[in-house]
Amino acid sequence: MADSNLRRVETLGGLPPARGTVWVAWFMFFFLIAPSLIIIPMSFGDLNEIYFPPRSLSLFLYREYFFESVWMETTFQSIKVAILSTMAGMFLGATAAYGIVRATFRGKKMLGALLLSPLFVPNIVIALGLYIYFARMGLQGTTFCLVLGHTLFVTPFVMVVVMAALRGVDPNLEAAAKTMGAGRIYTFRRVTLPLLRPALVTGGLFAFLMSFDELVISFFLSGFGTQTLPVKMYDSIVLEISPVLSAISVLLTLLAFVICVIITIFYNPDRRTRLRLTGEAETETKTTET
Amino acid sequence: MIRPNTADTTTPMVWLQGVTKHYGTVVALDEIDLEVRRSEFLTLLGPSGSGKTTILNLISGMVGPTAGRIWIDGKDITEMPPNKRGLGMVFQNYALMPHMTVFENIAFPLRVRKLKSGVIKTKVAEVLDLVRLPEVARRKPSELSGGQQQRIAIARCLVYNPSIILMDEPLGALDKKLREEMQLELKRLHASLDITAIYVTHDQEEALTMSDRIVLLNDGQIEQMGTPDDLYFHPRSLFSAEFLGDSNILSGNIEEAGPTVTISTAVGQCRCSRACGFAESGTPVKIMVRPENVFILPPGTSDEHLNKVPARMVDTITFGGVIKSYLQLADGSSMVVQELTRAGQSVPEAGSEVYVAWSSEDTIILPVEGRIEIPAPPS
């Protein structure tokens, strides 16, 4: 695997990295990931305090998390908000991306920048704005306003991924489908959508993770009974420093890790071209024979 | 869909009536009138930016005209969306669906038409036989070579029997040998299937080989329209003469009009015994002669019927079957002579003084600007 990767770098005209560079890269990687790794042994501690290294190993803290109703309630609330805002974000993000990439109209670039702006505005600013806004409308503290806030937050992520993928979809494919008699909807369903599927899966998972982990907006918008897991965790740090936090942190890291692995598998933009290149090389010889 | 074989043959299959297309301030097409006859192989030829792809996109419905009407088979389809026009189109980059197998790609237009799966299976198998690729049905397009992909694209087009097939430089991405093979293949399919084909290319050789008629476009206008012979032997403008085939061009003035026109040039007098539209003496003109009609005479030979000018050999290059000699005339202009190669042929050495000669019948007089408006001789 590593060997074939090196060969790929070389065919692209680059050089394999020097040995020293590799070591520095690994060091930086461990330096950055160490805090997350330290949490893992701590999460297997058995006392009602955060301590490193743990004196004995047990699943006490995990049991605490899974059987304490407050933690489960906030977890389900987070899942609910994440799923709803992901669905809304995927719909809005994908359709907006399609319009921005395919359509031609005045002010297209401006609109694109505007739609992506939540990426650049600090979360605290969005959160404060939404808080004041929803409070005026009397919606602050409801799950509905949490979902709206998170939708605003995740939509640009979906948009970016889908826009990139859509730029890679040859517009001639849609033109070809239309000349063959397919209408707009048929073309979108049978040609564009299947080609965008990897991007949609990636964007969706990404959006889910972003929403599930989100603290600042949730902190401002949630109220009694609508707290999400990160908000509850924050509260517990401030109020009680519960050692259960380390177990939850491990689980969250695991979730992020699993989603990242799935994304890497699904979203590999050059996998298709690589297949095509090797396929072409193999079959070229065959055609000259026939 | 049944091809309207029984329909009257006088209605043009496609008719562009005074069609203009602007892209912003750019004029892509300037009031084009074009008729495509039933079952003909028509090529739109021209340099890039001349408007040939725009014509194709207007017929397919991908863009709408700024002015003018478009008719297909006697029906005004100017406002009709592309999916209702019932045309076929082959793209330069094939435009095969990468997520579908070859079978699904070819079945696509049939599924759109809601045919039964049994019918689809037989039709796809038939058309795969037709393009001589019966064994690739279950592969993905990415597993095929460029030539095979293009044949699948053509099969996908033939499978639903469109009466018109539009082709946008379909062989542009293939290497020379494969391209020549595919040219013959396309000709064979066109002849056996009785389709109207509209073919876009910038390759003049391809246009000359394949077409029943060529429409030469230049800067959004039709420069000349006719059979390949017409365009090659009776170019009506400097642009036509230079775009199709190689040409030697000299400048001069009409000296004496009549059945044989005499032209004075910087390198001597030339005669042209072809009919042309220039009667007034003194008119500045260009004269053109094809390299294959010019030959090199050793000094001393003379012939009354020939135009003969002194020249100096510069270089000789052998291109397999033909040999090209590059010569310089007295006024510094250059002339190319093309002969068939024969074993043991001797060519004058570089630097030697010779004569180049050509018959008055092979001399073509062209206007310095614009085009001759007399119709080309019927073919």
Side-chain angles (χ1 to χ4, degrees):
Chain A
M1 183 63 199
D3 203 36
S4 73
N5 269 341
L6 282 186
R7 225 178 294 131
R8 253 175 67 213
V9 171
E10 277 157 8
T11 52
L12 288 172
L15 292 167
R19 190 161 292 239
T21 318
V22 177
W23 281 114
V24 172
W26 276 112
F27 174 76
M28 287 310 291
F29 177 68
F30 277 112
F31 182 77
L32 291 173
I33 210 167
S36 316
L37 293 180
I38 278 187
I39 293 286
I40 296 176
M42 279 163 68
S43 73
F44 292 104
D46 63 347
L47 287 171
N48 257 333
E49 58 179 356
I50 297 180
Y51 198 83
F52 182 83
R55 288 175 214 165
S56 62
L57 297 177
S58 79
L59 289 173
F60 173 75
L61 296 174
Y62 288 92
R63 212 175 296 128
E64 195 84 328
Y65 168 68
F66 281 108
F67 292 99
E68 186 80 45
S69 67
V70 192
W71 290 116
M72 277 299 109
E73 270 164 28
T74 53
T75 304
F76 284 125
Q77 169 72 354
S78 272
I79 291 173
K80 190 161 94 186
V81 170
I83 286 177
L84 289 173
S85 55
T86 297
M87 274 164 42
M90 278 173 77
F91 178 76
L92 292 173
T95 45
Y98 194 82
I100 295 291
V101 174
R102 284 285 190 262
T104 44
F105 54 89
R106 204 179 280 269
K108 186 173 110 163
K109 283 214 169 110
M110 284 286 291
L111 184 66
L114 188 73
L115 288 171
L116 291 179
S117 63
L119 279 179
F120 311 111
V121 178
N123 270 2
I124 187 79
V125 175
I126 297 178
L128 191 64
L130 288 175
Y131 174 76
I132 296 167
Y133 181 67
F134 284 130
R136 261 307 146 74
M137 292 166 72
L139 285 173
Q140 196 277 334
T142 61
T143 303
F144 178 64
C145 89
L146 261 177
V147 170
L148 285 184
H150 279 214
T151 303
L152 181 74
F153 176 61
V154 301
T155 302
F157 289 97
V158 180
M159 243 182 99
V160 168
V161 177
V162 175
M163 274 166 74
L166 203 54
R167 290 212 173 89
V169 174
D170 180 5
N172 272 351
L173 294 177
E174 290 160 53
K178 279 179 194 153
T179 41
M180 286 188 281
R184 250 166 203 271
I185 295 168
Y186 194 94
T187 305
F188 187 77
R189 223 159 44 89
R190 289 296 159 87
V191 180
T192 320
L193 202 59
L195 292 172
L196 290 181
R197 190 164 295 144
L200 284 171
V201 171
T202 308
L205 285 171
F206 209 46
F208 181 87
L209 195 60
M210 298 301 289
S211 162
F212 196 80
D213 279 357
E214 207 287 326
L215 172 63
V216 181
I217 295 174
S218 312
F219 186 75
F220 276 75
L221 295 185
S222 63
F224 185 74
T226 57
Q227 274 191 334
T228 61
L229 184 61
V231 175
K232 172 69 191 152
M233 286 169 75
Y234 180 73
D235 274 357
S236 105
I237 288 174
V238 174
L239 303 175
E240 45 182 335
I241 319 188
S242 158
V244 180
L245 284 178
S246 57
I248 301 173
S249 301
V250 170
L251 291 173
L252 282 178
T253 311
L254 197 67
L255 176 75
F257 179 74
V258 167
I259 286 183
C260 283
V261 167
I262 297 174
I263 287 175
T264 332
I265 291 167
F266 260 93
Y267 193 68
N268 190 348
D270 65 47
R271 188 176 49 174
R272 212 181 299 148
T273 39
R274 203 169 71 227
L275 263 179
R276 187 176 305 150
L277 287 176
T278 50
E280 199 133 302
E282 279 163 18
T283 42
E284 207 64 65
T285 43
K286 275 179 217 155
T287 23
T288 41
E289 282 161 22
T290 48
Chain B
M1 262 173 63
I2 299 161
R3 228 176 285 128
N5 267 336
T6 47
D8 70 314
T9 48
T10 50
T11 336
M13 202 62 205
V14 179
W15 179 27
L16 272 68
Q17 186 190 12
V19 168
T20 299
K21 177 67 190 173
H22 294 193
Y23 287 107
T25 54
V26 181
V27 181
L29 281 183
D30 192 6
E31 266 208 79
I32 296 267
D33 273 295
L34 174 65
E35 285 184 17
V36 185
R37 298 170 197 150
R38 198 172 298 278
S39 313
E40 83 171 326
F41 196 112
L42 181 100
T43 299
L44 302 171
L45 177 68
S48 51
S50 59
K52 49 195 194 312
T53 302
T54 305
I55 293 185
L56 220 58
N57 287 339
L58 283 166
I59 298 172
S60 74
M62 286 307 145
V63 296
T66 311
R69 310 302 299 173
I70 301 163
W71 304 72
I72 289 182
D73 207 6
K75 268 197 308 247
D76 184 345
I77 50 99
T78 317
E79 319 290 342
M80 194 186 272
N83 54 325
K84 304 276 183 231
R85 297 192 181 191
L87 307 173
M89 181 140 178
V90 180
F91 296 81
Q92 178 173 10
N93 64 356
Y94 324 128
L96 295 172
M97 313 299 174
H99 58 294
M100 297 181 187
T101 60
V102 166
F103 180 90
E104 279 305 319
N105 262 288
I106 300 175
F108 186 89
L110 305 177
R111 295 210 194 282
V112 172
R113 285 165 179 73
K114 300 198 168 72
L115 265 60
K116 291 212 174 66
S117 72
V119 182
I120 291 179
K121 260 186 199 153
T122 22
K123 282 198 176 235
V124 173
E126 267 173 31
V127 85
L128 275 172
D129 276 339
L130 197 64
V131 297
R132 300 174 186 173
L133 283 174
E135 72 284 2
V136 301
R138 295 163 89 178
R139 293 207 219 152
K140 285 279 176 73
S142 57
E143 298 167 48
L144 303 179
S145 73
Q148 289 173 323
Q149 287 187 48
Q150 192 54 285
R151 279 197 241 174
I152 297 306
I154 292 162
R156 183 177 69 171
C157 207
L158 297 176
V159 77
Y160 59 104
N161 289 345
S163 47
I164 302 166
I165 291 189
L166 310 172
M167 290 181 264
D168 189 2
E169 309 216 11
L171 310 181
L174 304 178
D175 63 55
K176 192 172 184 299
K177 193 166 173 290
L178 202 56
R179 196 162 63 223
E180 281 165 8
E181 245 176 68
M182 288 295 294
Q183 285 173 1
L184 296 178
E185 184 102 3
L186 278 176
K187 279 296 280 181
R188 175 180 73 86
L189 288 170
H190 174 253
S192 61
L193 295 175
D194 185 39
I195 313 162
T196 309
I198 305 177
Y199 191 93
V200 162
T201 182
H202 63 264
D203 180 344
Q204 44 106 2
E205 260 179 62
E206 195 166 278
L208 290 171
T209 322
M210 302 187 72
S211 326
D212 293 326
R213 274 199 312 152
I214 297 174
V215 176
L216 180 62
L217 291 155
N218 180 22
D219 211 12
Q221 292 185 318
I222 295 178
E223 187 75 26
Q224 190 170 351
M225 196 168 6
T227 62
D229 276 13
D230 266 353
L231 266 80
Y232 192 77
F233 294 110
H234 306 280
R236 284 202 262 152
S237 68
L238 217 52
F239 180 85
S240 303
E242 288 185 314
F243 200 85
L244 277 106
D246 296 325
S247 49
N248 293 304
I249 313 262
L250 296 172
S251 306
N253 291 298
I254 304 252
E255 205 170 271
E256 202 185 314
T260 302
V261 186
T262 315
I263 306 109
S264 65
T265 71
V267 292
Q269 270 193 349
C270 291
R271 275 161 309 169
C272 166
S273 57
R274 281 204 194 190
C276 75
F278 300 96
E280 223 165 296
S281 57
T283 321
V285 291
K286 298 274 183 185
I287 60 176
M288 191 278 276
V289 57
R290 298 282 183 203
E292 64 269 27
N293 294 332
V294 187
F295 37 98
I296 300 169
L297 290 178
T301 10
S302 72
D303 189 325
E304 278 296 295
H305 304 287
L306 294 176
N307 291 313
K308 200 169 84 170
V309 295
R312 191 161 49 85
M313 289 294 295
V314 176
D315 199 7
T316 303
I317 298 172
T318 310
F319 295 87
V322 297
I323 184 162
K324 284 187 182 179
S325 304
Y326 298 85
L327 299 106
Q328 199 175 36
L329 305 184
D331 67 336
S333 58
S334 54
M335 181 154 285
V336 185
V337 177
Q338 179 180 314
E339 295 164 291
L340 296 176
T341 36
R342 292 179 299 274
Q345 188 174 23
S346 74
V347 196
E349 272 174 46
S352 57
E353 300 292 335
V354 290
Y355 281 95
V356 285
W358 64 92
S359 121
S360 58
E361 282 160 21
D362 293 326
T363 314
I364 295 163
I365 306 180
L366 296 167
V368 177
E369 264 182 11
R371 23 182 188 267
I372 313 172
E373 294 304 339
I374 52 155
S379 49

